[in-house]
Amino acid sequence: MSDVQTLDRPQAAQSGGMLPSVYEVRTRRRELVDCVTLEMVPLEGAPLSFAPGQFTMLYVHGIGEIAVSISGNPGNGEALVQTVRSVGAVSKAVCGLAEGERLGVRGPLGVPWPVEQAFGKHLMVVAGGLGLAPTRPIIYWALANRDLLKSISIVYGTRSPDQILYAPQLLGWSSTQGLEVGITVDRAGEDWTGRVGVVTELIAPMLQDPAETVAMLCGPEIMMRFAADALADAGVSQDDVYLSLERNMKCGIGWCGHCQLGPHLLCRDGPVFAYPAVRDLMTVWEL
Ligand SMILES: Cc1cc2nc3c(=O)[nH]c(=O)nc-3n(C[C@H](O)[C@H](O)[C@H](O)COP(=O)(O)OP(=O)(O)OC[C@H]3O[C@@H](n4cnc5c(N)ncnc54)[C@H](O)[C@@H]3O)c2cc1C
Ligand code: FES
């Protein structure tokens, strides 16, 4: 708890503070049966600029507030883009917002993906389920900076074909030169002609030069652990593996301790971490 007691509160306040800005939903797009993507614009001022991997706290008046990753293009500051799955009271309320309705936004918050670590190397993004939302800004960034990277690959796994997030976009990326996309599902009907199996099976075949690869992972924690193991087995240094973690968040700025994981406050020190910094903590049940 010592980290919590030594917080620099004025600095935290500058990085978003506790006061939400009012945004309006400009467009609402259904992605999956339980997921929507909202494009939101502030009532005053320019939309926030952000780095891939950062998140905001979204507040629905009278219901509550949740942390949501920014899933838009960091190079396109027209609107704040976020994809939300309806699982509980607040996320259901966010998903239920109609175009023109308002909500509160705090942020951007959190430590971004260290995309600069991939300069001159192969970049592999490994995402599971909704984990494609926090990693999509990396892909936008990588496509805009292709000259700085040796190659880009996306390894994506989800439960079933109807749970493939951003499916049209994945299809478009798969025909983009210099970008390899591998998709697998846990189970599928006979009409699915794609791959069935776990995401980790795709990692080794898609690696070009493990010693020169930086990997960024987001999805269920069990998937990320197995993916990190598969990368290590194939020869990727664990220091070159980064992942994004989720814990229940309240303040989002390092004040309340709700998101503590061992010595880390995920909202302040994460959500993106180098794998060695959290590897042992991830194996402790219910930490
Ligand atoms: C850094 C960070 C980024 C996040 N980014 C996103 C994002 O981009 N999109 C998004 O939809 N959510 C995201 N979340 C999760 C989000 O903050 C909420 O935890 C989630 O929406 C549930 O909140 P709730 O209040 O609606 O439900 P709660 O009342 O908290 O939970 C209702 C039930 O759903 C279960 N549940 C909670 N979270 C999930 C989940 N993610 N998947 C399945 N079941 C769950 C709970 O165990 C509980 O049983 C992120 C969380 C963090 C910390
Ligand atoms: S310390 Fe409050 S949510 Fe992280």
Side-chain angles (χ1 to χ4, degrees):
M1 293 295 286
S2 58
D3 278 346
V4 179
Q5 287 156 5
T6 57
L7 289 175
D8 178 349
R9 287 174 184 243
Q11 191 187 358
Q14 280 166 17
S15 67
M18 290 300 291
L19 190 64
S21 301
V22 181
Y23 275 59
E24 187 173 278
V25 177
R26 189 171 74 179
T27 66
R28 176 182 185 275
R29 171 196 168 94
R30 180 157 296 284
E31 302 283 0
L32 306 173
V33 66
D34 54 356
C35 283
V36 301
T37 294
L38 301 178
E39 270 188 13
M40 297 158 279
V41 287
L43 291 195
E44 288 177 11
L48 50 80
S49 59
F50 71 99
Q54 289 193 292
F55 66 94
T56 69
M57 298 298 295
L58 296 185
Y59 172 66
V60 181
H61 189 73
I63 309 282
E65 199 176 35
I66 50 170
V68 177
S69 301
I70 304 174
S71 53
N73 185 344
N76 177 355
E78 271 183 29
L80 172 64
V81 178
Q82 301 190 273
T83 299
V84 183
R85 168 166 281 151
S86 172
V87 294
V90 185
S91 51
K92 184 177 174 194
V94 173
C95 288
L97 288 168
E99 291 174 5
E101 287 196 293
R102 293 176 182 179
L103 73 166
V105 176
R106 293 193 288 125
L109 304 168
V111 174
W113 298 102
V115 288
E116 65 288 348
Q117 297 297 325
F119 288 166
K121 296 190 172 179
H122 300 278
L123 171 65
M124 176 173 272
V125 173
V126 183
L130 200 61
L132 193 56
T135 48
R136 187 167 67 164
I138 310 173
I139 301 165
Y140 286 127
W141 171 86
L143 288 169
N145 293 279
R146 235 177 302 180
D147 295 350
L148 301 172
L149 305 168
K150 282 188 173 161
S151 73
I152 312 163
S153 51
I154 304 168
V155 187
Y156 180 59
T158 193
R159 286 198 299 269
S160 52
D162 62 341
Q163 288 291 317
I164 297 177
L165 191 64
Y166 311 139
Q169 203 166 22
L170 280 170
L171 192 65
W173 286 333
S174 65
S175 54
T176 302
Q177 206 181 359
L179 201 165
E180 194 184 0
V181 180
I183 300 175
T184 184
V185 298
D186 295 340
R187 56 178 181 277
E190 285 176 1
D191 53 341
W192 170 250
T193 55
R195 189 184 172 91
V196 177
V198 290
V199 75
T200 45
E201 290 168 2
L202 282 178
I203 288 176
M206 287 180 65
L207 280 169
Q208 296 194 28
D209 181 358
E212 287 292 306
T213 296
V214 169
M216 301 191 183
L217 282 44
C218 190
E221 269 184 40
I222 186 84
M223 179 226 97
M224 291 195 286
R225 277 174 43 206
F226 280 109
D229 285 348
L231 287 158
D233 290 348
V236 177
S237 164
Q238 296 208 341
D239 291 333
D240 288 329
V241 175
Y242 298 88
L243 46 78
S244 183
L245 292 176
E246 280 189 17
R247 285 293 180 280
N248 189 16
M249 288 188 183
K250 291 292 178 200
C251 72
I253 52 175
W255 287 5
C256 72
H258 264 84
C259 64
Q260 186 166 5
L261 177 70
H264 308 296
L265 292 177
L266 261 61
C267 66
R268 184 194 62 184
D269 309 326
V272 174
F273 291 91
Y275 183 51
V278 290
R279 180 183 47 218
D280 295 342
L281 298 167
M282 287 172 70
T283 60
V284 182
W285 182 244
E286 289 198 338
L287 191 61

